[in-house]
Amino acid sequence: MKILIIGSGGREYAIALKLKEEKKVEKLYFAPGNGATSKIGENVSIYDYDELAKFAIKQEITLTIVGPEAPLSNGIVDVFKSNGLNIFGPSKSAARLEASKTYMKEFLAKNNIKTAKFLNTDSKQEAFKFIDSLKTPIVVKADGLCAGKGVVIAKDYAQAKDAVSEMLDGSSFGDAGKRVVIEEFLDGFELSFFAICDGKNFVSLPVAQDHKRLLDGDLGPNTGGMGAYAPSPLASKELIRCIENDIVKPTLKGMQDENAPFCGVLFVGVMVVNNEPYVLEFNVRFGDPECEVIMPLIDGDLSEILLNASCGKLQDVKLKDKYAVGVVIASKDYPYKKSPKQKINVKNIPQNSQLIYAGVCEQNGEIYADSGRVLVCVGLGDDIATAKQNAYELCQNVEFEGMQYRKDIAWQVLK
Ligand code: AMP
Ligand code: GLY
């Protein structure tokens, strides 16, 4: 089987490492890939979806797997399917669960799925009225995409109103802040829940926990994610059943009712409040870095699982009885600005660990850190403490100038 992976990050590299182990997988292509994926497959520089579909037909690609959100929201799945190709991911219409916060919130309300109370508006007056109806703290978000920086958790009414005024007046986030979403604050802990869906049915994957802040102790700015571990003992069997029954099932049913059946990975950003799961957000793809810790826990053939799901024939997923911890190594100025390229030195990759390449490029056969989140050091073990130890041992075996990483990944369960 030949497989095309869309994307260029650590998530796509981790999917590829898993596929590389499988006998049926003959060759991997990446569009566009990164400086390290070219060492485990072939990078393809085609960005137009019609051209990419032609390439897939010509190369006799059996399955295409889409990593990031943007191509999904831009309709890559619709283009491939109209060319008779197998592709794993949701249609443009189903991808609205992630692409539009307003659509997502209205969908949740319609299907009686628990989420924070909210208002989406461009009117300051309406916003202030809604703020006055909530308890503090209050969450204020810019409606557009602002790379995870558009969320203000206001301690009091005045701060919430100031945040709204700054956003609506265009001074904080430009056009992305021309509409605001105001939400009730949910006080609990977050989990990343993943389900592989075939439009009607789903199978759940190990529940992960991300670490969004840059610094130890969950301090500093929000990032794309600085580390993850799975499965999280914080997700009890009962809680998982609740997420499946009260969130995932009604979501799949609701999407069928909207004529947008959801096929692909449904990623529920869950906030657990008093043992009850609330939807913080939906994503329509694997999380990054969550994917990096979930892939090594899958026992069966991922190629078969995703191919069958893409054809509406979901199968069960076998899991290893192991834990994985992933530590993201970012470049010096992440998440503020791009950092200069730096050569990466890898001493060796000890047993029970995997080195995942994300923001890297290749120069003269060598791999360079190319800013952002550069590497993910994944450790495996029979318990979380051992997995963590293996992940950090790998961190000490890699080196590039200015590298930074958190030292406390999985602190939530290793207190
Ligand atoms: P978002 O950009 O909507 O994914 O939000 C980013 C982060 O802000 C989330 O991962 C949460 O940690 C926090 N957050 C967002 N909405 C809420 C809420 N309603 N209550 C508490 N925390 C929130
Ligand atoms: N790690 C969170 C995300 O991929 O959005």
Side-chain angles (χ1 to χ4, degrees):
M1 185 188 305
K2 294 181 187 169
I3 298 184
L4 169 63
I5 300 175
I6 310 292
S8 62
R11 165 180 48 206
E12 291 75 22
Y13 192 92
I15 292 172
L17 277 196
K18 168 70 188 135
L19 294 171
K20 286 293 275 183
E21 295 171 358
E22 300 174 9
K23 284 199 201 85
K24 288 180 196 131
V25 179
E26 251 171 89
K27 177 152 188 183
L28 297 175
Y29 294 92
F30 298 88
N34 64 37
T37 56
S38 53
K39 303 205 185 286
I40 52 173
E42 188 177 321
N43 287 356
V44 181
S45 305
I46 303 174
Y47 295 89
D48 178 84
Y49 302 154
D50 289 301
E51 290 302 315
L52 212 48
K54 276 189 208 155
F55 171 84
I57 293 167
K58 188 159 164 243
Q59 299 299 328
E60 301 181 325
I61 305 272
T62 314
L63 172 68
T64 298
I65 301 167
V66 189
E69 189 261 333
L72 296 167
S73 301
N74 293 331
I76 192 170
V77 169
D78 309 67
V79 172
F80 271 54
K81 289 215 161 142
S82 69
N83 279 281
L85 291 159
N86 289 319
I87 180 162
F88 179 73
S91 64
K92 179 173 182 165
S93 154
R96 278 180 300 168
L97 280 180
E98 175 166 0
S100 162
K101 213 166 194 96
T102 307
Y103 174 80
M104 180 269 284
K105 282 290 202 177
E106 281 166 2
F107 175 88
L108 292 174
K110 210 192 302 179
N111 291 284
N112 292 316
I113 300 171
K114 283 205 182 96
T115 186
K117 262 195 262 164
F118 85 110
L119 174 80
N120 181 330
T121 183
D122 61 358
S123 147
K124 215 184 274 189
Q125 212 183 353
E126 256 181 53
F128 285 10
K129 203 168 141 205
F130 187 67
I131 286 173
D132 286 329
S133 78
L134 296 175
K135 286 196 198 118
T136 56
I138 292 162
V139 183
V140 180
K141 302 180 183 183
D143 188 36
L145 297 171
C146 355
K149 290 177 207 140
V151 182
V152 175
I153 313 251
K155 284 195 284 296
D156 53 40
Y157 294 106
Q159 205 188 350
K161 290 177 185 175
D162 283 350
V164 165
S165 300
E166 277 175 29
M167 286 182 194
L168 289 181
D169 297 341
S171 57
S172 33
F173 298 106
D175 280 347
K178 287 279 157 64
R179 287 190 77 83
V180 291
V181 177
I182 298 158
E183 276 184 23
E184 152 192 45
F185 178 77
L186 296 176
D187 193 6
F189 64 88
E190 285 182 72
L191 292 173
S192 301
F193 189 92
F194 298 90
I196 295 182
C197 309
D198 72 354
K200 281 191 185 145
N201 300 306
F202 69 95
V203 284
S204 306
L205 295 176
V207 181
Q209 208 169 24
D210 189 9
H211 298 62
K212 292 210 163 91
R213 303 291 199 96
L214 181 72
L215 305 172
D216 284 11
D218 286 340
L219 298 172
N222 258 324
T223 68
M226 294 301 290
Y229 71 93
S232 174
L234 297 176
S236 64
K237 281 208 177 103
E238 198 188 341
L239 183 63
I240 292 174
R241 212 172 306 127
C242 217
I243 296 172
E244 292 177 337
N245 289 335
D246 302 343
I247 299 175
V248 181
K249 277 187 197 162
T251 298
L252 292 188
K253 168 78 174 57
M255 291 308 279
Q256 279 179 277
D257 294 345
E258 309 234 332
N259 278 326
F262 190 91
C263 183
V265 177
L266 182 69
F267 165 0
V268 191
V270 177
M271 182 73 89
V272 183
V273 185
N274 296 329
N275 256 325
E276 286 201 82
Y278 286 72
V279 177
L280 264 186
E281 61 171 352
F282 280 128
N283 296 302
V284 298
R285 41 147 186 104
F286 279 115
D288 194 347
E290 290 95 327
C291 185
E292 286 88 322
V293 293
I294 290 174
M295 284 302 126
L297 300 175
I298 294 179
D299 210 7
D301 273 0
L302 185 70
S303 51
E304 284 295 320
I305 295 166
L306 301 188
L307 179 62
N308 285 333
S310 79
C311 307
K313 292 181 299 199
L314 195 70
Q315 68 183 70
D316 209 14
V317 178
K318 273 202 229 96
L319 298 170
K320 291 182 190 155
D321 191 15
K322 295 251 175 218
Y323 292 85
V325 172
V327 179
V328 170
I329 304 192
S331 54
K332 180 167 152 272
D333 297 317
Y334 181 74
Y336 303 104
K337 57 178 187 168
K338 233 177 134 55
S339 312
K341 289 194 181 102
Q342 300 291 349
K343 190 164 166 278
I344 301 173
N345 294 309
V346 181
K347 269 194 245 149
N348 71 314
I349 301 176
Q351 257 202 330
N352 287 318
S353 63
Q354 280 189 347
L355 183 59
I356 304 293
Y357 290 91
V360 297
C361 60
E362 194 204 320
Q363 265 177 14
N364 308 320
E366 310 237 51
I367 296 182
Y368 281 72
D370 191 20
S371 104
R373 293 185 291 167
V374 175
L375 301 168
V376 187
C377 293
V378 178
L380 289 163
D382 291 333
D383 52 57
I384 295 181
T386 312
K388 177 178 175 179
Q389 201 181 343
N390 289 333
Y392 281 105
E393 199 181 318
L394 179 57
C395 289
Q396 290 183 344
N397 280 334
V398 300
E399 187 219 353
F400 63 88
E401 207 178 302
M403 70 184 224
Q404 54 162 334
Y405 57 91
R406 280 181 64 159
K407 310 291 186 299
D408 65 343
I409 301 305
W411 66 266
Q412 299 91 331
V413 287
L414 292 174
K415 277 177 236 171

